[in-house]
Amino acid sequence: MSSRTPLEKAAAQRPRHLLPLVAIALIGYLGGCEYESNDASLPSASSPITEARTVPPLPESGDIDAGTYLVPVAGYTEPFEITVPDGWFALDGKSVGKGDPDHQAEWAVWVTLWPANYVSMDACAWMGALADVGPSVEAFIRAMAAQSSTASSPPAKVMVGNYSGFEFDHYVEGDVDINACGADRFCIYSENRFTCTHGYSTRGERETCRVVDLNGQRAVVAVGHIDESVNPGLMREARVVFDSIVFKSDQLM
């Protein structure tokens, strides 16, 4: 079998003064082939790259890896998506928290995703006094502001993605003795009428609540700290986690 290519045979049959031109054409041809081969594996700048993105559910409890988690909450058509750094842990699949090495409390800071279907009329004498305030954002804010034993800052308008809402601080007011409260805790709001699913275990706890209108349905999330002695850097980290919350379409559930 001849070792010469068809292009080389053709070049040999042409006059000598054409050989340099053939050589130049051959180099250009091979160079073009090599460029196309290498470039074929790279996406075009004008071609969109589509990649499947799977967001895992938030574990029920225990230490969790840094990353983004999906938190579907019963009663909401929109699941939460939340992103946490290293060192955070989960509880009941509806809250995340982190401890402060210089603080004895296990949960120095937290972000809670519990549904707020009922608000206690009195955060201390809350047993048997949890009121259904309906699904609206405004009704929840009014109930929280009227709650005895606690106080709220004036609500400020916020946007969470495409959803509107309000944000306010909430804290224990005055010198209320927590040991005299129901179950030795302040109940702020709850998922059901008979138990308290979100409350404070000390008088020093303070949180920021964000109430979002999900197309006529209310969602409440909150970030808080156990007291003012918590490391300020850890409080800022908790706020970053809080601000990472977005609401995804129910088609992802």
Side-chain angles (χ1 to χ4, degrees):
M1 180 181 295
S2 173
S3 61
R4 293 194 299 174
T5 67
L7 188 58
E8 289 172 332
K9 290 179 180 180
Q13 294 172 0
R14 288 179 172 83
R16 290 180 178 274
H17 68 274
L18 294 180
L19 289 178
L21 298 177
V22 173
I24 292 172
L26 181 60
I27 292 172
Y29 172 79
L30 294 176
C33 292
E34 181 181 1
Y35 176 82
E36 290 178 0
S37 175
N38 290 341
D39 191 58
S41 62
L42 298 177
S44 168
S46 61
S47 300
I49 301 175
T50 56
E51 182 178 337
R53 177 173 176 261
T54 302
V55 181
L58 183 70
E60 281 295 313
S61 61
D63 296 338
I64 53 178
D65 295 329
T68 300
Y69 296 91
L70 198 63
V71 189
V73 179
Y76 293 158
T77 59
E78 306 282 354
F80 297 99
E81 192 175 276
I82 187 171
T83 302
V84 299
D86 287 324
W88 284 70
F89 53 88
L91 179 66
D92 295 328
K94 297 175 183 176
S95 297
V96 294
K98 189 172 183 178
D100 183 345
D102 298 324
H103 201 290
Q104 62 180 357
E106 181 182 11
W107 288 59
V109 295
W110 69 85
V111 176
T112 182
L113 313 172
W114 280 96
N117 301 328
Y118 300 87
V119 175
S120 59
M121 293 179 284
D122 187 327
C124 183
W126 59 270
M127 289 185 169
L130 294 172
D132 184 349
V133 296
S136 80
V137 168
E138 292 76 13
F140 177 82
I141 293 173
R142 288 194 297 269
M144 291 285 280
Q147 189 177 79
S148 300
S149 303
T150 62
S152 294
S153 65
K157 287 186 176 181
V158 294
M159 291 294 297
V160 184
N162 295 325
Y163 300 102
S164 63
F166 291 88
E167 185 174 300
F168 58 91
D169 291 339
H170 201 71
Y171 47 92
V172 176
E173 185 179 45
D175 297 325
V176 181
D177 181 9
I178 192 171
N179 296 316
C181 298
D184 296 330
R185 68 183 312 200
F186 297 100
C187 182
I188 307 304
Y189 54 78
S190 182
E191 184 176 11
N192 61 71
R193 186 189 298 274
F194 306 104
T195 61
C196 181
T197 56
H198 179 62
Y200 303 160
S201 58
T202 71
R203 288 184 55 253
E205 294 184 41
R206 188 183 184 102
E207 66 183 354
T208 297
C209 297
R210 187 173 288 167
V211 194
V212 183
D213 181 0
L214 302 180
N215 298 325
Q217 197 166 24
R218 184 183 66 237
V220 179
V221 293
V223 58
H225 54 268
I226 197 76
D227 58 45
E228 295 298 329
S229 68
V230 173
N231 187 311
L234 186 55
M235 292 186 193
R236 289 192 294 271
E237 182 176 305
R239 180 71 194 205
V240 171
V241 173
F242 182 61
D243 289 337
S244 78
I245 293 174
V246 293
F247 299 95
K248 308 302 291 182
S249 169
D250 57 2
Q251 293 179 354
L252 295 178
M253 295 186 66

